[in-house]
Amino acid sequence: MKKIIKGASIVTESEVFKADVLIAGETIEEIGTDIECEDAEIIDAEGKLLLPGAVDVHTHMDLDVGIARACDDFYTGTVAAACGGTTTIVDHMAFAAEDVSLMHQVDVYHGLADGNAVIDYGFHGVLQLMNDAKLKEMVDISRREGITSWKAYMTYGGNMINDEWLFKIMKVASEEGLVIPAHCENDALVEVTKAELGAAGKVQAKYHPQARPALAEAEAVSRLLYIAKEAGEAPAYVVHLSSEAGLKEVMKSREAGQQHFGVETCTQYLTLTDAAYEDDQEGLKAIMSPPLRKQTDIDALWKALSDNCIIDTVATDHCPFTFKEQKQAGKDDFRKCPNGAPGVEERLPVMYSEGVAKNRISLPQLVKYCCTEPAKVFGIYPKKGAIMPGADADIVIMDPDAKHVLTIDDMHGANDYTCYEGFNLTGRIEKVFSRGELIVEDNRFLGSKGSGRYLKRGTTSLV
Ligand code: URP
Ligand code: ZN
C-alpha cells in the first residue's frame, strides 16, 4: 500500500519547503508537488512539519552497570524513543563483567535487542582490558558485523583506556576509518576529588558536580584530540560534551586545522543546570556523568550549535534508573548512585521547543543535529536521517504550534520520572512512521515488539 503525505513543510538539514511525499512500502519513492497516485492512502498534513525520523546515537538500553541495570530494556526504551520521534538508535554497550572477547558483548547485545526493539538499531562496540588480539578483533568485527564505532572510556576504573592504548586504538581507527567515541574525563581528577569529598563527609548529591569538574572534561578532550591527531587524524568523537571549557579545547583543535573528528552534546547539557543538585533527594535524579553545569555552559553550547561550528550531533545518553528504587542507592552517598538519566523520548520535543521555538537554532539545524549528522557520522546515511527518495520512510509529522506540558504521566518508558517535568513545550509530535509503518499517533504507540531491525553500519563521514 502506498501513502502520500500531503501539504506539509519538509525540513532537511539545509532548507524547509512545501511538498508531498510518496511512500511505497518501506521507503520514500518521490517528493514533489501535487503527487497523484491511485489507491494511495492520503495523509493530510497541511500546516504541519515533516522531519526525518530522529537518530539518537547515544543510548544505553538495558545497561548493566553492576550495581544496577537500566530500567528500560530494548522494548520499553525504543517505544519511548518512537513516541518522542526517534526512529533509529545506536546503543552503547555495557562493559563485560570479565575479560572476554569483544564479540562476547556483541552477542549479548543481539540477545537483548533482537526481537525486542520496535525501531531500527545499531551498536557501538565497547573497548576494555585491551590487548593486541582485541585490536585485531575490533577490525574483524567492524568489517563483518558493521560495528564501525568503538567506545573508549578515559575514566571508569579498571575498564578505562589509558593513553598508551588510546594511541594504539586511534592508529588502527585511522587506518580503518573507524569512529572512536570517547567518554572524556580526566580519571585522576575525578577519582582523587571523589575520595577527598568522601573523606570530608561531603557525600550528598550536591557534591556530585564538584567531583567531576569541567576542567576534567576539558583536559581529556584536549588529550583525546591530540592523540587522534598524532595517530593520523583518527576519527575521534567526543561524547556528551557538557562544558564551555571543553568546547574551548575543541575550538583550539579545529583552529589548528584538525577536522576529522566529531563532537556530541546532549539535551540535558543544553537545558538543565546544576541547580538540579541543590535538593539532596531530587538531586539523585540528575546524577549522571558528566554532571549538569552552569548557565554559562548552556549558553556556550547553544551558541556553538547556532554558529554551526564545533558540535556535530545532539544525543541523549539515555541511561534510566528509577528514582523511587534504583537512584535511592545513592541517598546516603552520591558515589553509590547509578549514574545516568532518561532522555530518549524528550530529546526531539525539547530541542524543538527550547531550540527552534525559542529562536536559538533554526529548523534545519534541528534536523542537522538530531537526524542527519548523527546518521552521517555513524555510517547509516542516507538510509536514515533524511527525507529523500530512496531513504527509509522514517518520518515525523509535527504540529509546530501545539502546546503542552511535559510530564512523566504521558510518557512511555519504564522510568518513574523525567528531568524535564513541567517543561512548557511548544510543538507536538502527531505521527511517527518507521519504514513506512505508522507506529505512533497522538502519543499512542501502535507498532509491534521486535519490528526494529539491526543496522549494519558503514563508513563515517568524519574520514
Ligand atoms: O552517567 C552516565 N552518563 N551514565 C551512562 C554511562 C556513561 O557514562 O555513558
Ligand atoms: Zn553514555
Side-chain angles (χ1 to χ4, degrees), residues 29-57:
E29 187 170 286
E30 189 186 338
I31 296 173
T33 43
D34 301 324
I35 295 177
E36 302 283 336
C37 180
E38 230 178 273
D39 298 335
E41 178 192 352
I42 306 294
I43 298 155
D44 177 14
E46 192 65 42
K48 305 290 159 46
L49 298 174
L50 237 58
L51 313 178
V55 179
D56 189 345
V57 291

Side-chain angles (χ1 to χ4, degrees), residues 58 60 63 151 153 156 183 240 287-289 317 319 339-340:
H58 193 158
H60 294 279
L63 185 83
K151 171 98 165 264
Y153 284 82
Y156 275 38
H183 178 122
H240 50 46
I287 293 211
M288 61 182 89
S289 304
D317 200 7
C319 186
N339 279 23

Side-chain angles (χ1 to χ4, degrees), residues 7 63 79 92 98 110 124 132 137 145 147 162 177 187 199 233 244 268 286 291 299 312 318 324 346 382-383 396:
L63 185 83
V79 168
H92 282 274
E98 291 160 12
H110 276 296
H124 303 282
D132 289 331
E137 202 193 358
E145 311 283 335
I147 296 180
N162 65 20
D187 184 64
E233 283 241 10
E244 184 177 20
Q268 59 270 30
D299 294 343
D312 300 276
H318 178 81
K324 288 200 187 98
E346 297 95 320
K383 180 178 169 68
V396 174

Side-chain angles (χ1 to χ4, degrees), residues 217-463:
E217 177 174 82
E219 187 282 329
V221 166
S222 162
R223 185 158 34 99
L224 173 83
L225 296 180
Y226 276 124
I227 290 172
K229 185 171 173 108
E230 198 57 29
E233 283 241 10
Y237 176 88
V238 177
V239 297
H240 50 46
L241 186 81
S242 64
S243 66
E244 184 177 20
L247 210 52
K248 284 185 174 157
E249 294 304 325
V250 177
M251 184 101 82
K252 273 191 214 160
S253 304
R254 289 248 199 263
E255 282 171 1
Q258 193 173 343
Q259 295 301 332
H260 299 285
F261 65 88
V263 178
E264 164 197 291
T265 189
C266 299
T267 328
Q268 59 270 30
Y269 303 118
L270 292 160
T271 53
L272 305 170
T273 69
D274 61 0
Y277 302 112
E278 276 164 14
D279 183 274
D280 291 341
Q281 257 298 306
E282 285 291 303
L284 297 172
K285 292 180 178 174
I287 293 211
M288 61 182 89
S289 304
L292 300 174
R293 308 285 187 195
K294 306 280 181 202
Q295 188 59 45
T296 46
D297 296 287
I298 291 180
D299 294 343
L301 291 170
W302 278 115
K303 181 163 182 345
L305 291 177
S306 154
D307 289 352
N308 283 317
C309 65
I310 305 177
I311 298 173
D312 300 276
T313 64
V314 176
T316 63
D317 200 7
H318 178 81
C319 186
F321 298 100
T322 60
F323 176 60
K324 288 200 187 98
E325 287 184 15
Q326 293 177 299
K327 286 284 189 182
Q328 295 307 317
K331 72 179 168 31
D332 298 321
D333 186 340
F334 75 86
R335 297 170 301 171
K336 297 187 178 148
C337 186
N339 279 23
V344 76
E345 187 167 355
E346 297 95 320
R347 179 183 61 145
L348 194 62
V350 170
M351 286 299 296
Y352 177 83
S353 187
E354 292 291 306
V356 179
K358 293 193 174 169
N359 290 319
R360 290 173 168 134
I361 55 171
S362 67
L363 260 177
Q365 284 174 322
L366 176 78
V367 164
K368 171 184 168 182
Y369 295 122
C370 294
C371 314
T372 313
E373 278 304 311
K376 286 182 177 174
V377 169
F378 290 102
I380 46 176
Y381 177 87
K383 180 178 169 68
K384 302 293 183 187
I387 297 181
M388 62 164 68
D392 281 356
D394 294 350
I395 294 173
V396 174
I397 301 182
M398 181 182 248
D399 179 340
D401 303 316
K403 300 205 186 304
H404 70 287
V405 178
L406 188 50
T407 173
I408 189 65
D409 299 339
D410 295 336
M411 294 177 63
H412 302 82
N415 214 337
D416 56 5
Y417 76 96
T418 167
C419 293
Y420 309 90
E421 185 70 37
F423 266 48
N424 287 301
L425 296 187
T426 299
R428 184 143 214 183
I429 291 168
E430 289 195 344
K431 291 184 172 63
V432 179
F433 296 85
S434 167
R435 280 186 274 103
E437 186 193 343
L438 180 67
I439 59 165
V440 176
E441 186 164 30
D442 298 332
N443 208 31
R444 280 175 302 122
F445 177 68
L446 308 174
S448 47
K449 190 171 186 172
S451 57
R453 284 191 202 138
Y454 173 66
L455 293 164
K456 275 193 173 184
R457 294 180 292 114
T459 310
T460 176
S461 57
L462 296 175
V463 290

